[in-house]
Amino acid sequence: MDKLQLMKEKIELLNKAGKAYYQENREIMSNFEYDKLYDELEQLEKETGTVLSNSPTIHVGYELLSNLPKERHDKPMLSLDKTKEVSALKEWLGQNEGVLSWKLDGLTIVLTYENGKLSKAVTRGNGETGEVITNNAKVFVNVPVVIPHKKTLILRGEAVISYSDFEKINSEIPDADAKYKNPRNLCSGSVRQLNNKITAERNVRFYAFSLVRADGEEFSNSRINQLEWLKSQGFGTVEYKRVNGENIEETVRWFAENVTENGLPSDGLVLTYDNIAYGESLGATAKFPRDSIAFKWRDEIKETKLIEIEWSASRTGLINPIAVFEPVELEGTTVSRASVHNLSIMESLDLGIGDTITVYKANMIIPQISDNITRSGNIRIPDSCPVCGGEARIKNENDIKTLYCMNDDCLAKQIKSFTHFVGRDAINIEGLSEATLEKLIAKGMIKELADIFHVEKFKDEIVEMEGFGEKSFNNLAASVQKARKTTAARLLYSLGIPNVGLSNAKLISRKFGNNWSKIQNAAFEDLIEIGGIGDVMANAYVKFFSDEKRKVIVEDLLREVELEEAEENNEPQVFENINFVITGSVEQFKNRDELKEEIEKRGGKVTGSVTSKTNFLINNDNLSSSSKNKKAKELGIKIITENQFVEWLNNGIEPE
């Protein structure tokens, strides 16, 4: 194949990968593979003296696709030239002093302040035009909305999500089509939300890395002075160190040793001249500024042997291939597994059992396969789901092949019901997060709710799971044993019957004297006699317990739990058929839960929102502008104080 044709093929692949990564928050190849292709393309361009118009080596970014408003940057935001050689960094720096900092892997943002207030935030976008995300930036965890400096200030920085928040958030996002592959993708999706409430829930942080303009300020021609000044204004800045020709190698080593402790996604380092005027005098190429250079980690690559491909089903039905290989030491830790992400990547690597593969840690953190030396391609793609045994079908979307379970009743898709079951107000098993449950289900350790009480059988496997160890497992086992003793109301609530919240579960249990047989076999006519339970809820309840599969699930659970005798309740049922909502702080009770308990003991019901069915709103601040107060006044619902309620309690008054 001639070199020009080879260039065209590499350009097509790189542009497709870039579009997927920057626009669609998904990956079709690893960073390692992308960098390798990019370097090969650059070499071909040098050899041929030809650069094609659509080459990523001259394009700064990609077309933006979203409903966010667009805005052109005053100055183009160029990419950085890069090297993997410390010697090249040293040569580039020469006799100058520099600033060496993390190259954070998130989304670059430009912030503008006027009169001391955040007035605008724009993403890097394609380098020339970005998306306006001002409202979203205002809910970043650490962005100052008001600063002491009252003149125009423009700065650049990186919005990132830490690895720990990524793991936590990724396991809790209910509406994601599939788990995010890395913190960068999650951050990009979070920053560019149309609803900034979602952004606020994602723990996005901003770290300044350069100052563009600060009217009225003098920095003695030093970038370090600029960064120190930004700190004084309340900004978090990237961690940086002053370097020169003598200490740069030692400083690069320090950063390399502290990658894992850093906790933030980083794909290398950035070296910038401290002397601002000197850096600016060098100008820029069509793509790169000459005052800065990026250093990419020279990945530690090890050979190993592929033992198996483990197929892991997720809540979305997606079945991901996981490569399991002979353990190797990488960047100071032992690794034996790596996600392959999808069938397209697996096939491009021609993976086969017994193959000799090379592995590395992307950003020195996440294990990845870099290459397959023997390429036997002998892996059979399963035609059934590893969790439920149902049909597994290959889908091809945007030239990416993925494997999906087609069974709607697959346990992996029912993860929410398991999460609800172990929740605090339900069976209450600490240490069983949604992410952990998903892993246990994917590995076949849990096939129904009752199996949760037998996780001790899989101690050896669980102890070896990421994020677990002997201590974590022992805590989990103790929590499981403790959860065996529960109440009828908790068990009923834990089953996730439509519309049967904790309050309704307590009312139903009380109605039937906490007798489980009566609770499970309750008739429609008996249920609608209970205040707050209407036809729809009663029908759903009866239908739930009439289902044969669910009957088996409940029977298996009853063999695992011991229902404690509920305390005898002799309180007069003065609040029967009365619905309360509580808002604001309480003064005479320890907390709202204690107040709620007093209401329920007397036959009342407490709900979370004000509706036409609400009888009383308890709020010590009648003039509050809260949404619940406003709603109650709109609907003509009586607002009472805690003192009034306590008076009813003390005197046994039945409210009118």
Side-chain angles (χ1 to χ4, degrees):
M1 185 184 297
D2 66 35
K3 289 182 178 179
L4 200 59
Q5 182 58 32
L6 198 56
M7 283 166 59
K8 287 177 181 177
E9 290 185 3
K10 289 184 190 297
I11 288 169
E12 185 183 355
L13 267 174
L14 286 164
N15 285 343
K16 193 180 288 185
K19 183 180 179 184
Y21 188 77
Y22 288 105
Q23 287 183 22
E24 299 160 4
N25 297 330
R26 61 192 182 91
E27 287 182 57
I28 62 173
M29 66 173 65
S30 67
N31 288 343
F32 184 93
E33 191 178 352
Y34 183 92
D35 287 346
K36 183 167 171 278
L37 279 171
Y38 188 98
D39 292 343
E40 288 170 357
L41 175 62
E42 267 194 325
Q43 184 58 38
L44 285 167
E45 288 175 344
K46 284 177 188 172
E47 291 173 11
T48 60
T50 303
V51 180
L52 299 173
S53 63
N54 61 341
S55 172
T57 64
I58 57 167
H59 280 220
V60 175
Y62 297 86
E63 182 187 356
L64 296 172
L65 295 174
S66 84
N67 294 318
L68 291 165
K70 312 292 188 297
E71 184 169 299
R72 286 186 72 83
H73 297 298
D74 291 340
K75 293 180 180 177
M77 297 182 68
L78 303 176
S79 302
L80 294 180
D81 201 358
K82 65 181 186 294
T83 181
K84 290 189 175 184
E85 303 294 340
V86 180
S87 58
L89 282 186
K90 189 173 181 178
E91 185 181 336
W92 183 90
L93 189 58
Q95 299 301 308
N96 300 289
E97 285 205 328
V99 187
L100 190 64
S101 63
W102 296 116
K103 184 175 181 293
L104 297 179
D105 191 16
L107 204 65
T108 301
I109 309 289
V110 185
L111 300 182
T112 301
Y113 287 77
E114 300 285 356
N115 301 315
K117 293 181 180 177
L118 176 61
S119 61
K120 187 167 61 181
V122 184
T123 67
R124 177 184 183 277
N126 63 11
E128 293 184 0
T129 303
E131 296 162 311
V132 180
I133 49 107
T134 311
N135 285 339
N136 294 352
K138 287 178 179 177
V139 296
F140 289 176
V141 173
N142 63 339
V143 163
V145 179
V146 178
I147 58 172
H149 182 75
K150 299 306 175 191
K151 295 181 180 178
T152 299
L153 168 66
I154 303 173
L155 68 152
R156 293 173 179 173
E158 199 80 356
V160 294
I161 290 176
S162 69
Y163 279 109
S164 57
D165 283 332
F166 165 69
E167 294 292 346
K168 181 173 180 289
I169 296 165
N170 207 13
S171 69
E172 293 173 353
I173 297 171
D175 56 351
D177 290 333
K179 285 183 181 295
Y180 287 95
K181 297 294 187 293
N182 54 51
R184 192 259 171 211
N185 285 11
L186 175 57
C187 183
S188 177
S190 302
V191 168
R192 298 164 68 235
Q193 287 288 329
L194 298 177
N195 177 0
N196 75 347
K197 181 177 183 294
I198 298 172
T199 307
E201 292 167 352
R202 302 282 178 86
N203 282 1
V204 180
R205 297 173 190 275
F206 174 86
Y207 294 94
F209 57 68
S210 73
L211 193 153
V212 178
R213 175 181 169 188
D215 290 359
E217 296 295 334
E218 171 57 45
F219 302 105
S220 304
N221 196 35
S222 167
R223 292 210 178 272
I224 286 180
N225 288 350
Q226 288 183 333
L227 291 168
E228 289 297 319
W229 180 80
L230 285 171
K231 286 182 186 177
S232 76
Q233 297 295 307
F235 293 98
T237 64
V238 291
E239 188 174 12
Y240 60 87
K241 292 187 178 292
R242 187 190 295 272
V243 290
N244 53 39
E246 291 181 6
N247 72 357
I248 188 164
E249 293 176 52
E250 176 192 334
T251 309
V252 170
R253 271 198 304 275
W254 181 89
F255 276 103
E257 289 165 2
N258 285 274
V259 167
T260 50
E261 281 71 31
N262 176 37
L264 299 173
S266 162
D267 56 357
L269 305 172
V270 175
L271 178 60
T272 304
Y273 294 118
D274 183 49
N275 186 316
I276 299 168
Y278 174 68
E280 289 178 348
S281 73
L282 299 174
T285 67
K287 188 174 180 184
F288 305 124
R290 290 195 173 100
D291 66 344
S292 301
I293 187 170
F295 173 77
K296 301 279 280 186
W297 303 116
R298 182 170 285 286
D299 302 298
E300 182 182 10
I301 301 172
K302 292 279 184 74
E303 275 190 18
T304 184
K305 183 180 177 181
L306 184 65
I307 299 170
E308 67 169 308
I309 290 290
E310 193 176 274
W311 298 93
S312 177
S314 72
R315 77 190 75 173
T316 61
L318 187 64
I319 302 172
N320 285 317
I322 311 283
V324 181
F325 43 83
E326 289 180 351
V328 287
E329 284 281 323
L330 280 177
E331 315 292 356
T333 61
T334 303
V335 295
S336 59
R337 299 161 63 82
S339 174
V340 189
H341 300 316
N342 55 54
L343 299 186
S344 293
I345 291 176
M346 190 183 81
E347 290 176 353
S348 71
L349 288 165
D350 286 327
L351 290 179
I353 306 305
D355 279 352
T356 299
I357 59 172
T358 54
V359 294
Y360 73 108
K361 278 188 176 179
N363 297 349
M364 297 176 77
I365 298 284
I366 303 167
Q368 302 273 291
I369 297 174
S370 56
D371 201 2
N372 181 7
I373 295 168
T374 47
R375 295 185 170 264
S376 67
N378 64 26
I379 290 167
R380 187 185 71 82
I381 297 169
D383 54 13
S384 61
C385 171
V387 171
C388 69
E391 181 193 0
R393 192 180 299 169
I394 295 172
K395 292 185 179 181
N396 194 329
E397 295 173 1
N398 300 320
D399 295 326
I400 304 297
K401 287 167 72 174
T402 48
L403 187 64
Y404 275 88
C405 171
M406 307 309 293
N407 176 17
D408 290 337
D409 294 325
C410 177
L411 276 187
K413 296 181 182 180
Q414 312 303 321
I415 188 70
K416 288 293 175 190
S417 64
F418 285 84
T419 309
H420 174 80
F421 178 77
V422 302
R424 188 183 64 178
D425 291 332
I427 293 298
N428 190 22
I429 300 178
E430 294 176 14
L432 264 187
S433 67
E434 188 164 310
T436 301
L437 280 166
E438 196 162 7
K439 288 175 185 174
L440 298 180
I441 290 169
K443 289 174 180 290
M445 298 178 195
I446 294 176
K447 292 186 169 65
E448 64 165 315
L449 293 175
D451 292 338
I452 290 172
F453 292 98
H454 294 287
V455 291
E456 76 281 352
K457 291 193 300 187
F458 302 101
K459 178 180 178 178
D460 293 345
E461 293 97 318
I462 295 173
V463 165
E464 294 300 317
M465 278 168 45
E466 191 177 343
F468 259 84
E470 192 85 26
K471 187 178 178 183
S472 298
F473 175 81
N474 290 338
N475 290 340
L476 172 60
S479 186
V480 167
Q481 288 309 310
K482 186 179 175 184
R484 286 183 181 276
K485 286 193 173 183
T486 190
T487 64
R490 277 180 174 272
L491 179 60
L492 181 59
Y493 171 65
S494 75
L495 298 176
I497 302 168
N499 300 313
V500 177
L502 188 57
S503 290
N504 284 329
K506 287 178 179 177
L507 289 174
I508 294 167
S509 298
R510 194 177 298 133
K511 163 79 174 177
F512 298 106
N514 296 296
N515 180 308
W516 187 261
S517 178
K518 291 180 180 178
I519 291 168
Q520 184 171 337
N521 296 295
F524 174 86
E525 294 75 21
D526 295 326
L527 289 165
I528 58 173
E529 287 178 5
I530 303 169
I533 295 184
D535 292 8
V536 174
M537 196 188 302
N539 270 321
Y541 186 99
V542 172
K543 183 181 177 184
F544 182 93
F545 283 113
S546 300
D547 184 277
E548 291 303 322
K549 287 182 182 176
R550 290 195 173 112
K551 279 183 182 178
V552 172
I553 289 169
V554 173
E555 283 169 15
D556 290 346
L557 273 177
L558 290 171
R559 282 193 281 271
E560 303 298 338
V561 299
E562 178 187 337
L563 296 182
E564 297 174 329
E565 289 291 325
E567 290 180 20
E568 196 171 336
N569 180 22
N570 296 317
E571 297 290 348
Q573 303 296 287
V574 291
F575 300 144
E576 195 167 3
N577 299 328
I578 295 176
N579 296 322
F580 291 86
V581 173
I582 308 166
T583 192
S585 58
V586 293
E587 297 161 2
Q588 302 193 43
F589 294 88
K590 273 192 274 185
N591 49 44
R592 288 192 206 173
D593 283 343
E594 190 178 65
L595 172 52
K596 180 181 175 184
E597 196 175 317
E598 290 298 327
I599 292 170
E600 290 175 344
K601 272 199 300 194
R602 291 161 176 80
K605 184 178 176 184
V606 179
T607 60
S609 55
V610 176
T611 69
S612 58
K613 293 180 180 178
T614 304
N615 300 102
F616 296 99
L617 172 65
I618 301 175
N619 187 357
N620 288 323
D621 181 7
N622 192 23
L623 300 176
S624 162
S625 60
S626 74
S627 59
K628 287 176 183 173
N629 248 33
K630 286 179 183 174
K631 188 75 173 173
K633 286 173 181 175
E634 283 173 18
L635 296 172
I637 290 161
K638 190 170 182 180
I639 302 172
I640 63 169
T641 64
E642 198 180 347
N643 284 336
Q644 285 174 271
F645 176 79
V646 170
E647 190 180 331
W648 289 349
L649 277 189
N650 293 339
N651 299 310
I653 297 172
E654 196 167 327
E656 297 177 3

